[in-house]
Amino acid sequence: GGSITPKGIRARDVAVPIKGITSIDKVALVNLEGASIIGVPGVARRFMGAMSDRAVNVIMITQASSEHSICVAVPEEQGDLAMAAVKSAFELELARSTVNSVSLLKGLSIIAIVGEGMAFTPGVSATFLRALASSGCNVRAIAQGSSERQVSVVVNRDDTTRGLRAVHQAFTLSGTVLSIAVVGASGQVGAQLISQIQAQRLALRDRGLDLRIVAAGDKEHMALEERGLNGDVAELIARGPAFSLDGLTTALQNDINPIRVVVDCTASDEVVSYYERWLSRGISVVTPNKKGGSGPMDRYARCRAALRKTSAQWLYECSVGAALPVINTIQDMLQTGDRIQQIEGVFSGTLSYLFNTMTPDTPFSAAVQQAKDRGFTEPDPRDDLSGLDVARKMVILARELGLSLELADIPVESLVPEPLRAWTYSGPSEGLADAFIKELAHYDGSMAARVKDATKAGKVLRYVGVVDVPAGSARVELREYARSSPLGGLSYNDNLISISSDRYTPQPLVIQGPGAGPALTASGVFADILRLSRG
């Protein structure tokens, strides 16, 4: 199968150097290999003569300049005949081991690009091979004539369709297609993301980008559709089979589109345990889940190693600042040669709101109640007040800066009074937050004293995370800041990240804005998906 772009056509307003992309299925490779054939006249003649004598149709031939091997592609049904012919022709050399081996490999296809415009046009072969690599196609053999009007490669048959689509997209003969699987699709962030993708899908398709949600699931069920889920995805999930990470993985592996991505909108460590498997198979991961970047260092290192072996990407901008551009900014600074000395900031919208709300006349429990009423807290406010969420973000940032820190290495000042850390609640789940806040009121005195002391000094309290690169450490704690400082001047539930570096000194680079909320986080995940589509 294949496609032809007639001469003179400009695909998607871009001049295309090729006229067509085609494939030949059911191909086998026959390979003759041996150091003793180097520089020996007549080897190629004998090899091809053997093919001719048995009426084997040679589709493609390639020989490296080292003359160490000769390889031909033949119809698969003639593969055994071709190998027998070569073994017969080189029987003596095989017996003496002057020829190392004659091998046959079946289950292959040929993908070729052709066109007059390819001649003397640099980069055509590079674009072709890059597209195949990005789609996970391993090239078994390659041939290009000196006329430069055709390049042919041999790939595994199962990769053919994905490879063809990747080459189509690379030469702008078709739009870019992303196959997306959303895990945690029924959660707030996952549902918002699906809604945003559906709202933008037609506009993006007009610009040559087709986002297809081919799989979506929650803890109980999932929905699969290789052409893309349409309509009420939540309803499709509810009617679907039991959720299975293995089933989702298989569906993406079998997907024919070159760009495949899992979007992990959960806080699950089990889902993170699949990252290495996905990345090693060329499936990208986009996630706001902090447990991937802050989990055990050995698992993190394995994921990083998997990235180096494939064209997959692991994007996790939203794991630190929702939609704020923190990770990308840090990566840009480091890649342009800047050296970051310290990152300091408020990384929790909930805790930002608490300390922006508190005054000497506002009890701590009352501030927590206000945050809860506005939907800023977790169902159990201790998840916010413990500081563990901020600590995970510090681990992610520290590793981004080259520090091999574990979560246990981060000293964390918990805002949960010691007696309440093991407090249990036996009532209905929707009443947990109110019950906890009622208990918290008994401990308002200590926080009131700290607020009073800070106010007397003309300062305010801020719950911050700090990564100190020269010291190789990070910490999470409650600190006092002058009202005139960037951190002291925060309002409502804004996050603020201050980055000090060799270039940004004495004034740091400051990133500020809302850092919480399902819609914001989903938009940041969406932006990472779009970034992935651009390669």
Side-chain angles (χ1 to χ4, degrees):
S3 85
I4 301 295
T5 300
K7 188 174 181 180
I9 293 292
R10 294 170 64 88
R12 289 178 53 203
D13 297 325
V14 178
V16 180
I18 65 175
K19 287 183 65 177
I21 304 167
T22 189
S23 67
I24 302 173
D25 295 328
K26 297 182 180 179
V27 169
L29 278 182
V30 179
N31 187 59
L32 172 71
E33 186 173 343
S36 298
I37 68 174
I38 298 174
V40 177
V43 172
R45 177 186 59 79
R46 291 171 61 197
F47 186 100
M48 296 305 295
M51 297 293 104
S52 177
D53 290 344
R54 300 291 182 92
V56 174
N57 178 29
V58 175
I59 305 171
M60 185 181 110
I61 180 169
T62 179
Q63 178 177 6
S65 60
S66 66
E67 302 180 49
H68 185 265
S69 65
I70 300 175
C71 179
V72 296
V74 301
E76 192 168 69
E77 65 270 17
Q78 292 189 312
D80 293 319
L81 178 63
M83 186 169 72
V86 175
K87 282 185 174 181
S88 176
F90 291 88
E91 183 177 8
L92 183 60
E93 287 85 352
L94 285 167
R96 295 175 176 175
S97 297
T98 54
V99 167
N100 294 353
S101 66
V102 176
S103 59
L104 173 67
L105 188 61
K106 295 183 178 181
L108 305 174
S109 295
I110 292 175
I111 298 177
I113 55 174
V114 294
E116 292 286 337
M118 294 169 55
F120 312 112
T121 302
V124 175
S125 294
T127 300
F128 181 39
L129 294 173
R130 191 182 303 117
L132 293 171
S134 70
S135 65
C137 289
N138 181 39
V139 173
R140 298 281 187 165
I142 182 171
Q144 175 179 335
S146 61
S147 68
E148 302 182 54
R149 290 176 174 83
Q150 177 174 336
V151 181
S152 302
V153 299
V154 179
V155 301
N156 293 331
R157 184 184 303 158
D158 292 343
D159 296 333
T160 308
T161 302
R162 189 182 307 122
L164 282 169
R165 290 199 174 198
V167 176
H168 269 258
Q169 294 173 18
F171 288 101
T172 67
L173 298 176
S174 63
T176 299
V177 180
L178 267 72
S179 291
I180 302 168
V182 181
V183 185
S186 298
Q188 294 187 64
V189 174
Q192 277 282 347
L193 174 65
I194 290 171
S195 177
Q196 291 178 16
I197 290 175
Q198 289 179 330
Q200 286 295 110
R201 189 176 179 191
L202 290 179
L204 290 170
R205 190 180 291 172
D206 287 342
R207 300 174 63 180
L209 177 60
D210 187 1
L211 302 184
R212 297 182 186 176
I213 301 174
V214 298
D218 55 25
K219 291 181 180 179
E220 297 181 356
H221 299 279
M222 65 180 181
L224 303 173
E225 174 50 67
E226 63 181 13
R227 292 169 297 182
L229 298 169
N230 295 307
D232 188 338
V233 174
E235 183 180 339
L236 294 173
I237 292 172
R239 298 203 312 258
F243 178 74
S244 163
L245 284 168
D246 288 332
L248 181 142
T249 302
T250 299
L252 278 184
Q253 278 186 252
N254 294 336
D255 191 272
I256 61 175
N257 289 312
I259 306 178
R260 298 157 293 159
V261 55
V262 175
V263 182
D264 174 15
C265 293
T266 74
S268 165
D269 204 55
E270 181 187 3
V271 177
V272 172
S273 70
Y274 276 72
Y275 284 12
E276 180 187 358
R277 187 181 314 184
W278 291 330
L279 295 170
S280 65
R281 296 175 185 182
I283 300 170
S284 295
V285 175
V286 172
T287 183
N289 187 345
K290 289 174 278 294
K291 292 183 179 178
S294 65
M297 189 66 196
D298 61 338
R299 183 176 68 187
Y300 177 84
R302 291 197 305 271
C303 289
R304 286 290 179 195
L307 284 171
R308 292 191 288 271
K309 297 176 182 177
T310 69
S311 59
Q313 298 185 54
W314 178 15
L315 302 179
Y316 45 90
E317 178 68 80
C318 298
S319 64
V320 172
L324 295 178
V326 180
I327 297 293
N328 286 319
T329 299
I330 290 170
Q331 291 174 345
D332 287 345
M333 292 173 69
L334 295 175
Q335 290 170 10
T336 57
D338 201 357
R339 291 188 301 175
I340 295 174
Q341 304 298 330
Q342 178 174 284
I343 298 177
E344 176 183 22
V346 171
F347 291 87
S348 166
T350 302
L351 297 176
S352 176
Y353 178 83
L354 284 181
F355 290 101
N356 289 333
T357 302
M358 286 191 66
T359 69
D361 301 321
T362 306
F364 185 49
S365 59
V368 176
Q369 184 68 57
Q370 290 180 36
K372 180 260 179 186
D373 292 342
R374 291 180 179 273
F376 292 154
T377 67
E378 294 293 331
D380 185 345
R382 288 176 295 182
D383 292 341
D384 298 299
L385 301 178
S386 69
L388 180 61
D389 186 69
V390 178
R392 288 190 181 280
K393 295 178 181 181
M394 294 307 98
V395 174
I396 293 169
L397 292 177
R399 291 175 178 177
E400 206 66 34
L401 299 175
L403 303 180
S404 298
L405 296 184
E406 298 277 10
L407 189 60
D409 298 327
I410 312 293
V412 180
E413 180 181 353
S414 175
L415 301 180
V416 181
E418 182 72 36
L420 294 182
R421 293 175 190 175
W423 173 78
T424 59
Y425 172 73
S426 58
S429 58
E430 62 270 15
L432 189 156
D434 289 330
F436 170 78
I437 292 169
K438 184 177 180 180
E439 295 296 323
L440 183 64
H442 299 304
Y443 303 92
D444 281 339
S446 59
M447 187 62 72
R450 295 188 68 171
V451 173
K452 184 177 179 181
D453 291 343
T455 302
K456 280 185 178 179
K459 296 182 178 181
V460 292
L461 294 176
R462 295 290 182 260
Y463 194 75
V464 298
V466 181
V467 178
D468 187 334
V469 178
S473 65
R475 56 195 178 277
V476 177
E477 60 191 11
L478 192 61
R479 287 184 173 183
E480 294 182 359
Y481 289 89
R483 292 184 181 275
S484 58
S485 68
L487 283 166
L490 272 179
S491 61
Y492 200 57
N493 70 334
D494 274 6
N495 284 6
L496 186 147
I497 297 90
S498 172
I499 305 175
S500 299
S501 70
D502 287 357
R503 293 172 184 164
Y504 286 93
T505 186
Q507 293 297 323
L509 172 64
V510 174
I511 301 169
Q512 180 177 351
L520 270 176
T521 303
S523 71
V525 173
F526 196 176
D528 266 350
I529 294 172
L530 296 177
R531 192 172 292 111
L532 179 68
S533 73
R534 294 189 288 267

